[in-house]
Amino acid sequence: MITHLATTPFGARPMSLGLISSQLTAKEVKKDATVSKWRVFGDIREAKDALGATDRALAILDALLSFHRGDELTAQGGLVVFPSNKLLIRRANGMSPATLRRHLAVLVTCGLVIRRDSPNGKRYARKGQNGEIEQAYGFDLSPIVARAEEFENLAAAAQAEQKAFKLAKERLTICRRDIVKMIDAGINESVPGNWRGFLTRYETIVSRLPRTPPRQVLDAIVAELEELWADVHETLETFVKSEDSNANESHSDRHIQNSNPDFNSTDESEHRYGKINEASGSAEKTDNVRNLPKRELTLGVVLNACPEIANFSRSGPIRMWRDLAAAADVARPTMGISPSAWQEAVEVMGPDKAAVTVAAILQRADQINSKGGYLRTLTERARNDQFSVWPMVMALLNARMERMGSAAGAVEMPERGQGGSDGGGAGHEKPTSIEISSALAKTMKGKGWK
């Protein structure tokens, strides 16, 4: 039968109150206590930080448990194992003797094992006549049985802490990503807001983040970032709601403040309803897309109808359709048209027609309250095949012709950028002229543009 003695360590190792406490805990183990040694070892491994155990110490404890026969530790069985240092080193993956001694001391300090030192410090067992072990000197594993429930609770707490730390890191990553991208979106989309202030707040919060922060610090920083996230998101959300409201108003034409009959007729032509005068009576208007001429607009006609767009060309005179698209992209921010509205128009209409639409809106900019909302509305109609740039450009062209007092016939137009004077005297400029074909003039006259 094994007898447990409260012994002091052999040699120069001192006695401590912690060793006495471990010995008392081992004495209080229940007589019928039985635990699975590998399950308890798994709990100890999970709770190693709370216990103060090291990885090397756990490797040695794993080796010590392997010297105990059977998978269960019982209070009635022999719980003292007595391997030599040579065997321990072999089973502990070949660590050095000095490392072995150092981490064996860690196991004792943590209260995971108790030293049962012999008078000469050797580890051995004395057997009786029947071959049973009467007295063993080595390492007592009884604290593992006595503290099995404690280890299980510590392991559960450690797992919960690891999960909370992982969730905090995920929240931190998502918050940082969202805030940075939302600030970039606000700046790129020209959304009104204190974006410099938001960016300064973000940098100040993130600068306090340590390289390896504890969970409590991480939670505090995440809480501040979530407050910043809410402020940035509210700014963007408020702007989007106002844009949607403007787009809804433009859909019912309440946002267009225009008394010019030419532009009103253009606006009406973009709907599938409304009336126009034809000959001596009035008739219901049919779908303008089906009634439009089959020819394509030329770049010259567009520039004649929308001369304002030329002021935004950065590469000189507009000579090609891509020059017009580039000028429209430059003019867009000054009109309050967001990049997303412009991109959607390009995708639905194509770059050329989207540029013509922006140029036409620019030409009547003083008569349209929400240019971005108006462009979105026209884009949506174009998506449903209910909008064409032809009537819009023709109305603008007709308005210019009427202002110049010219007939709808062909009048020679000087090249762009050239002035002119008649022979009657200096200081008298030629009136700006517009060159259109007779076929186009006839089409305009037949369609009610005059």
Side-chain angles (χ1 to χ4, degrees), residues 398-443:
N398 183 53
R400 289 201 66 206
M401 291 172 61
E402 286 188 351
R403 284 197 302 270
M404 293 183 300
S406 300
V411 181
E412 184 180 2
M413 178 180 179
E415 292 183 3
R416 288 180 48 80
Q418 293 182 355
S421 62
D422 58 12
H428 297 280
E429 295 184 354
K430 276 188 178 181
T432 306
S433 57
I434 302 176
E435 182 180 3
I436 59 176
S437 66
S438 57
L440 177 57
K442 183 177 180 180
T443 300

Side-chain angles (χ1 to χ4, degrees), residues 61-94:
L61 179 60
D62 185 23
L64 288 175
L65 290 172
S66 69
F67 285 105
H68 181 275
R69 295 179 179 179
D71 291 336
E72 293 185 342
L73 301 177
T74 63
Q76 299 298 323
L79 294 178
V80 177
V81 293
F82 39 91
S84 65
N85 282 353
K86 183 177 180 181
L87 288 176
L88 265 181
I89 288 173
R90 182 181 300 173
R91 294 198 184 182
N93 302 322

Side-chain angles (χ1 to χ4, degrees), residues 131-326:
E132 296 181 354
I133 296 177
E134 293 183 347
Q135 180 66 50
Y137 296 100
F139 297 101
D140 190 351
L141 303 177
S142 56
I144 295 178
V145 180
R147 301 176 62 188
E149 185 176 353
E150 176 191 350
F151 296 149
E152 184 178 1
N153 294 335
L154 288 175
Q159 290 174 350
E161 178 65 21
Q162 291 173 2
K163 182 178 180 180
F165 184 77
K166 182 178 180 181
L167 292 176
K169 288 182 66 176
E170 290 177 356
R171 288 167 57 203
L172 174 68
T173 301
I174 292 174
C175 273
R176 293 183 65 175
R177 182 186 67 199
D178 285 359
I179 290 171
V180 170
K181 291 194 174 184
M182 286 194 299
I183 291 176
D184 286 344
I187 295 174
N188 293 334
E189 298 277 352
S190 302
V191 177
N194 185 17
W195 301 112
R196 185 178 297 276
F198 288 148
L199 190 58
T200 301
R201 280 177 60 188
Y202 171 76
E203 292 174 347
T204 302
I205 295 172
V206 173
S207 65
R208 299 201 307 270
L209 186 65
R211 182 178 293 273
T212 54
R215 184 179 62 84
Q216 292 76 10
V217 174
L218 204 59
D219 284 340
I221 291 178
V222 169
E224 293 186 53
L225 286 175
E226 286 179 341
E227 290 181 4
L228 176 58
W229 181 95
D231 293 341
V232 175
H233 187 266
E234 183 180 3
T235 301
L236 292 176
E237 192 176 59
T238 301
F239 178 76
V240 169
K241 288 180 178 178
S242 66
E243 284 285 284
D244 290 343
S245 176
N246 290 337
N248 290 335
E249 290 177 4
S250 68
H251 186 71
S252 59
D253 298 328
R254 290 194 299 270
H255 75 290
I256 299 181
Q257 306 295 328
N258 179 31
S259 59
N260 189 305
D262 294 321
F263 200 66
N264 284 338
S265 67
T266 302
D267 180 60
E268 289 175 356
S269 71
E270 290 153 8
H271 296 269
R272 298 177 69 105
Y273 52 84
K275 295 184 178 182
I276 58 174
N277 256 344
E278 289 189 348
S280 60
S282 61
E284 285 293 330
K285 183 178 168 192
T286 58
D287 191 338
N288 79 310
V289 176
R290 292 197 300 267
N291 268 344
L292 290 177
K294 300 304 181 182
R295 58 177 294 178
E296 293 291 333
L297 283 171
T298 64
L299 182 59
V301 170
V302 173
L303 295 177
N304 289 336
C306 311
E308 292 294 329
I309 194 66
N311 297 326
F312 294 90
S313 176
R314 294 181 175 176
S315 57
I318 297 176
R319 302 183 184 278
M320 305 179 69
W321 284 106
R322 66 166 175 262
D323 298 335
L324 180 65

